[in-house]
Amino acid sequence: MKFSLRTKFLLSYAFIIISSLVILNTYGVSLVYEKILTKAKTSLYNEASMIATDYLSAPYLTAGSTFIALRHYFSSMQQITDSRIIVTKPDSMVVIDSDKLYNCEGEFINNYDKHFLSGQTIHETDINGLLPGKCTAVIYPVTESMETLYYIIITKELKPLHSQAVQYTDAVVLCFIIFVTILMFIMFYLYIQTAMPVKIMTKAARKYAIGQFDYPMARIPDNEHAELAGAIRYMADKMSDMDNYQRKFIANVSHDFRSPLTSVKGYTQALLDGTIPQELQNKYLDIILFETERLAKLTSSLLTLGQFENGGVPMDISTFDINYEIKRCSAAFEQRCTEKQVSLELTFDAKSLMVKADISKIEQVIQNLLDNAVKFSHNNSVIEIHTAKRNTKAFVSVKDHGIGIPKDNINKVWDRFYKTDLSRGKDKKGTGLGLSITKEIIEAHGENINVISTEGVGTEFIFSLPAADQALHL
């Protein structure tokens, strides 16, 4: 059975109270009683020693002391100390008894318990009915010249001692009741401070779990719980962003897959049913091939991004000349640049610039940035590629003088499937994944890539790589 936190608080509180009261009224009373009894025995023994020395010694009795005077004095002591004083002769006959109500003078103790006088301390005894109730007794022999003159028996009833122990325990119980009352308010406060925030956060988390990301998180003043609530709210915001991203992702994938699939299906059907004449079939087969390649490229890009997300892309780090790779990649764009009358201007601060990176991944970065630059450059414009070394970093810049990126959209260029309306109308060949892959590759190297753009002026991408003289740990 599962219990709520509130029920656990109440059960814990009840358990503490009940167990404490049981312990106090059993073990507590017994412990206090033992302490009182030990103290009483010590007091009785000291009292017996004092009586033997001061009142029953030979000099005192020789001075004219009588049993009548001693009886009167012992009776006064009994009223003060609540201890009964009995004096017997060696033959166990009682000669002095301080108790007036249950006086047993003339009685022989041995007639009731022949082993009684041989002890020193007797616990819970009534001398076989001679005493009115259970008592603790101390037997103190008075001797002179190796001869026993008297036995002093001092008794104290156990019932008042037990009552005294109960009274002490009751005082402790009363203090405990006051304490548990205060504890109740403390636990209620702790419940408000701990359980209530947890309940609020649990309710909010359940709302977020079913997609209600706009559910407001109640204000929680406590620092620790406030941090947790903030973390849950932050998680909800991220989940909301992820949900929106997934919706857009599905919409974009559906859009980018539907168009080429529609073309492939339509043209294939037309070829099969003879709608397209023989002399035009090669033309439409080229279109089908183009759309198929476009689908393959889109699928490959999606798989690449998925691998980066899951950390499944191994990095083959080597040392190479980034200037040489830029020249080689630029040569592959010669035809496209010629068609648009765009010139590539390569500016290197040094003849060679050695870096430590995955050469195939960096080639993909350069190709993506050059493809993006050529695509959005105006005719008869220049694309500038510049490399430089700063301390332990190598920096690569790819700058075009094209349409630029609107200020509000500049941070969106790294989003998957992001395309400006102009690019969609101007060039539908792109997948919208190139810059996303570029960013993932650079970050996988532990480096950064930034974009600077002004609408209508142009765009510049700058990324860094570790120079060859710096160790890289991936």
Side-chain angles (χ1 to χ4, degrees):
M1 181 181 294
K2 294 183 178 180
F3 296 101
S4 65
L5 192 57
R6 178 176 60 184
T7 303
K8 290 179 181 178
F9 263 105
L10 292 175
L11 290 176
S12 300
Y13 181 73
F15 175 77
I16 291 172
I17 294 175
I18 294 173
S19 60
S20 298
L21 288 175
V22 170
I23 291 172
L24 282 172
N25 286 283
T26 53
Y27 178 72
V29 172
S30 176
L31 184 63
V32 173
Y33 175 67
E34 290 295 330
K35 294 289 184 182
I36 292 175
L37 187 60
T38 301
K39 185 177 181 181
K41 288 179 180 179
T42 302
S43 177
L44 292 177
Y45 186 83
N46 293 336
E47 187 176 347
S49 178
M50 182 270 294
I51 291 173
T53 302
D54 295 345
Y55 300 103
L56 295 179
S57 62
Y60 187 80
L61 291 174
T62 304
S65 173
T66 64
F67 288 157
I68 297 175
L70 290 176
R71 182 185 304 113
H72 178 73
Y73 179 73
F74 291 163
S75 295
S76 300
M77 289 182 64
Q78 180 178 351
Q79 292 179 358
I80 297 172
T81 63
D82 199 26
S83 300
R84 184 174 178 178
I85 303 171
I86 299 175
V87 180
T88 71
K89 290 183 177 180
D91 61 359
S92 80
M93 186 184 78
V94 178
V95 293
I96 302 175
D97 187 352
S98 65
D99 195 300
K100 297 178 181 180
L101 183 61
Y102 301 101
N103 193 278
C104 61
E105 291 180 0
E107 298 284 351
F108 287 85
I109 298 294
N110 288 341
N111 292 340
Y112 296 89
D113 186 350
K114 63 181 180 179
H115 300 293
F116 184 81
L117 293 178
S118 62
Q120 183 178 4
T121 301
I122 309 297
H123 182 57
E124 290 191 7
T125 182
D126 60 358
I127 316 180
N128 288 332
L130 183 63
L131 303 178
K134 293 293 183 180
C135 300
T136 183
V138 171
I139 298 93
Y140 191 95
V142 180
T143 61
E144 184 177 347
S145 300
M146 304 297 291
E147 181 182 356
T148 302
L149 302 178
Y150 301 100
Y151 286 100
I152 301 173
I153 304 171
I154 302 183
T155 65
K156 201 173 190 69
E157 286 192 37
L158 296 177
K159 188 175 181 180
L161 296 180
H162 189 270
S163 298
Q164 187 179 2
V166 171
Q167 289 176 359
Y168 286 156
T169 307
D170 287 343
V172 175
V173 170
L174 179 61
C175 293
F176 177 74
I177 292 173
I178 297 173
F179 168 74
V180 296
T181 303
I182 298 172
L183 181 63
M184 179 180 67
F185 289 102
I186 294 174
M187 293 188 72
F188 180 74
Y189 172 77
L190 291 176
Y191 173 78
I192 295 297
Q193 293 294 313
T194 57
M196 291 303 291
V198 171
K199 190 174 182 180
I200 292 171
M201 290 185 287
T202 301
K203 183 178 180 181
R206 287 175 178 169
K207 295 290 185 181
Y208 301 148
I210 61 176
Q212 297 183 16
F213 302 115
D214 57 344
Y215 181 81
M217 175 70 75
R219 184 178 178 274
I220 299 175
D222 183 66
N223 290 335
E224 288 77 8
H225 289 99
E227 289 181 12
L228 180 57
I232 293 175
R233 180 67 256 182
Y234 177 77
M235 179 187 67
D237 292 339
K238 289 298 181 182
M239 290 172 63
S240 178
D241 293 341
M242 182 60 67
D243 185 66
N244 293 332
Y245 168 76
Q246 288 179 345
R247 293 176 187 274
K248 292 178 182 179
F249 179 84
I250 293 172
N252 285 324
V253 169
S254 300
H255 176 273
D256 285 341
F257 270 85
R258 185 168 54 246
S259 296
L261 284 174
T262 301
S263 298
V264 169
K265 180 181 178 181
Y267 292 137
T268 303
Q269 187 66 42
L271 287 170
L272 288 175
D273 60 20
T275 303
I276 298 176
Q278 184 71 29
E279 62 273 11
L280 296 177
Q281 286 185 1
N282 287 339
K283 173 185 175 181
Y284 289 101
L285 285 173
D286 287 339
I287 294 175
I288 292 173
L289 180 61
F290 173 81
E291 295 294 356
T292 304
E293 290 175 348
R294 179 180 168 194
L295 284 172
K297 182 179 180 182
L298 179 59
T299 303
S300 177
S301 297
L302 287 172
L303 290 174
T304 300
L305 282 173
Q307 289 176 331
F308 274 112
E309 279 188 347
N310 298 323
V313 179
M315 304 296 291
D316 184 13
I317 304 300
S318 62
T319 301
F320 61 92
D321 184 1
I322 188 66
N323 293 349
Y324 173 77
E325 293 304 321
I326 290 173
K327 291 176 185 178
R328 199 162 65 85
C329 292
S330 299
F333 285 83
E334 183 177 347
Q335 183 178 352
R336 287 183 59 189
C337 291
T338 301
E339 292 173 356
K340 291 190 68 172
Q341 298 180 344
V342 173
S343 60
L344 295 178
E345 184 177 296
L346 308 182
T347 306
F348 304 141
D349 282 5
K351 184 177 180 181
S352 65
L353 179 54
M354 305 303 291
V355 296
K356 275 184 172 290
D358 187 320
I359 187 170
S360 63
K361 300 293 189 300
I362 298 304
E363 284 179 355
Q364 189 175 1
V365 168
I366 297 170
Q367 290 170 359
N368 287 343
L369 293 180
L370 281 174
D371 178 75
N372 194 75
V374 172
K375 186 187 302 181
F376 296 108
S377 288
H378 296 302
N379 292 340
N380 300 308
S381 62
V382 177
I383 296 176
E384 303 171 10
I385 304 176
H386 176 238
T387 64
K389 181 180 179 183
R390 299 288 185 272
N391 297 323
T392 59
K393 300 288 184 183
F395 292 91
V396 180
S397 166
V398 179
K399 181 177 182 181
D400 66 64
H401 297 276
I403 62 176
I405 304 170
K407 184 177 180 181
D408 295 337
N409 295 337
I410 196 166
N411 291 326
K412 298 179 181 179
V413 297
W414 310 113
D415 295 345
R416 299 178 184 184
F417 297 105
Y418 173 76
K419 300 178 184 179
T420 63
D421 291 339
L422 181 59
S423 72
R424 281 193 178 274
K426 190 174 183 179
D427 187 349
K428 295 184 179 180
K429 298 179 182 179
T431 63
L433 298 174
L435 290 179
S436 297
I437 294 174
T438 296
K439 185 176 179 64
E440 293 286 352
I441 290 174
I442 296 301
E443 289 183 347
H445 283 80
E447 299 297 330
N448 297 306
I449 183 169
N450 298 306
V451 58
I452 303 170
S453 184
T454 302
E455 191 173 7
V457 176
T459 303
E460 181 181 13
F461 289 91
I462 305 171
F463 67 89
S464 62
L465 290 174
D469 57 352
Q470 182 188 16
L472 180 65
H473 302 282
L474 294 175

